[in-house]
Structure formats: structure tokens, C-alpha cells
Amino acid sequence: ETGVTQSPTHLIKTRGQQVTLRCSSQSGHNTVSWYQQALGQGPQFIFQYYREEENGRGNFPPRFSGLQFPNYSSELNVNALELDDSALYLCASSLAGSRSSGNTIYFGEGSWLTVV
Amino acid sequence: GQQLNQSPQSMFIQEGEDVSMNCTSSSIFNTWLWYKQEPGEGPVLLIALYKAGELTSNGRLTAQFGITRKDSFLNISASIPSDVGIYFCAGQVSGGGADGLTFGKGTHLIIQP
């Protein structure tokens, strides 16, 4: 139990639609990052939010966007869904500025997205 | 996207055997993490390493941060059935974490009765 919760756990969308995934970070953690994990692969970094601003981004197009709220919870939005967006989307939280735990990142159980 | 080279891809072992897996990279990382993932769940942190040469244990698990900063290994001693799962290494460059984690493709551990 990492204290990171995600919703929904599973969803199915049609190509071209938009989706919003939600995440509540572990208590006391101020940084949230999102990852995409395709079947048989390791997670791929999408972006990170700190103090409600995106402060790091992986190799994902602009149709992947996010928000972080004052309570440190977060949303991942994906527009114009494509079939290849089908994956497990993982949210992770950490505490920036603390060496003992700032680089220690805890994951939620993920949201399974299927695009048909 | 970039991924670490993790090996082996899969391991079929007998209960009680020791397990060793490793991760290598062409670039330097300043943090190495090892995670375990079971079906339908997110990765669970096993061990975090912050200094080159660091050797850290967590019960039957031992991991080391390579002195070159380009590799790490994870050992599991006396494997038990609940060790089954996919083990991922992950590296991070920056202390602030804004570059995110770079993951390996995972090592599937299967324990034969």
C-alpha cells in the first residue's frame, strides 16, 4: 500500500475521444509524475508536476497534458486518442527536496486504458 | 524512448535458489531504484540507491549501485513462491527528478515447484 490512489482503474475509449485520469498522491508528497506502460514494457516517463507546474517532460506529444492541484492531486488528460495510447497509466508521487525520499518514487496501481 | 538494458529477460528457477539480475546503461545515473510489479498492480519499490558503490539490503534482497554509475544489480537469496513477478530497474539523473525515471524492460521471475 503506497498511499497513491488512481481512478478509474479501467476504461475503454474510442479513437479520437479525450480521456482524463486522476491521481491522489501519498500524504506529504508534493511532486506527481505520470508514466505510460505498454504491455511487456517498462514504464515510460510522460511528465512531472511540482507546485502546480510542469517541470519535466518525456518524449510525449502535446496532446498529453496534465494538471496538479493545490492539494497535490493530479490529472492526466489525453486528447485525440489513438490506438497506441492503449496502456497502463501510472501515477507516482515523491517529496522534492528530501534526499532520503525525494528520489524515492512511489507508484499507484494504475489506470488501464483501452482505445478501440 | 530510452530504456535501460536489463537482463536476463526471464528466469525459471527452483524454490530456494538464489537469483541475480542486472541493469546497464550507456549514460550515468545518480539514483538507481529497483521495483517489483505483479499482474494488475503498479510497481512497488524494493530498494533505492543514491551513491556510487552503495550496497543496500532489504531482507533477502541486496542491490548495488555500480561504481561507474552506469550499472546496478539485484540479488534475491533463497527464493520463495511470493517472489514471482516482474522486476524493474530504474535510473534517474537529476536530484530534483524533473527528468523522470528511465526503466529497464523488466526481468520475469518464475519459480518452479
Side-chain angles (χ1 to χ4, degrees):
Chain A
E1 193 66 44
T2 64
V4 181
T5 58
Q6 294 186 240
S7 63
T9 54
H10 296 81
L11 71 167
I12 300 173
K13 289 287 188 176
T14 303
R15 189 172 50 182
Q17 283 188 316
Q18 179 265 345
V19 68
T20 298
L21 307 177
R22 296 178 175 83
C23 173
S24 293
S25 58
Q26 187 181 104
S27 177
H29 281 184
N30 55 14
T31 302
V32 174
S33 49
W34 287 89
Y35 290 77
Q36 180 195 67
Q37 186 177 21
L39 271 178
Q41 301 293 318
Q44 296 281 323
F45 175 63
I46 302 174
F47 45 56
Q48 176 175 285
Y49 277 79
Y50 171 67
R51 291 185 175 178
E52 302 176 49
E53 290 191 1
E54 182 183 303
N55 74 337
R57 191 176 185 94
N59 189 26
F60 280 81
R63 60 189 185 85
F64 286 77
S65 63
L67 287 172
Q68 186 183 30
F69 301 100
N71 65 356
Y72 305 130
S73 66
S74 176
E75 286 182 356
L76 164 66
N77 298 292
V78 187
N79 295 321
L81 284 167
E82 300 175 359
L83 297 180
D84 286 348
D85 294 334
S86 296
L88 177 66
Y89 287 85
L90 295 163
C91 170
S93 75
S94 58
L95 178 61
S98 167
R99 177 165 176 78
S100 64
S101 61
N103 290 344
T104 304
I105 298 173
Y106 296 93
F107 286 84
E109 296 196 347
S111 294
W112 283 99
L113 171 64
T114 301
V115 182
V116 297
Chain B
Q2 178 189 1
Q3 286 196 323
L4 300 173
N5 298 312
Q6 187 171 348
S7 63
Q9 284 189 332
S10 58
M11 302 183 73
F12 295 80
I13 64 168
Q14 301 284 336
E15 183 178 351
E17 287 186 20
D18 296 342
V19 170
S20 184
M21 60 191 78
N22 69 81
C23 234
T24 60
S25 170
S26 57
S27 55
I28 288 173
F29 288 98
N30 293 309
T31 300
W32 284 90
L33 304 169
W34 284 91
Y35 290 88
K36 178 187 177 186
Q37 188 174 28
E38 298 186 32
E41 299 184 6
V44 175
L45 181 66
L46 300 174
I47 292 180
L49 302 159
Y50 302 110
K51 286 173 58 175
E54 180 181 355
L55 183 70
T56 298
S57 293
N58 178 9
R60 294 178 296 106
L61 278 61
T62 301
Q64 185 157 29
F65 189 146
I67 197 70
T68 65
R69 297 179 179 267
K70 293 183 178 181
D71 64 311
S72 177
F73 72 74
L74 174 70
N75 289 337
I76 306 173
S77 62
S79 59
I80 60 177
S82 62
D83 291 335
V84 167
I86 304 174
Y87 291 80
F88 289 99
C89 60
Q92 189 168 55
V93 176
S94 71
D99 56 316
L101 294 175
T102 299
F103 280 83
K105 287 192 173 184
T107 295
H108 293 238
L109 180 60
I110 299 160
I111 298 178
Q112 298 169 324

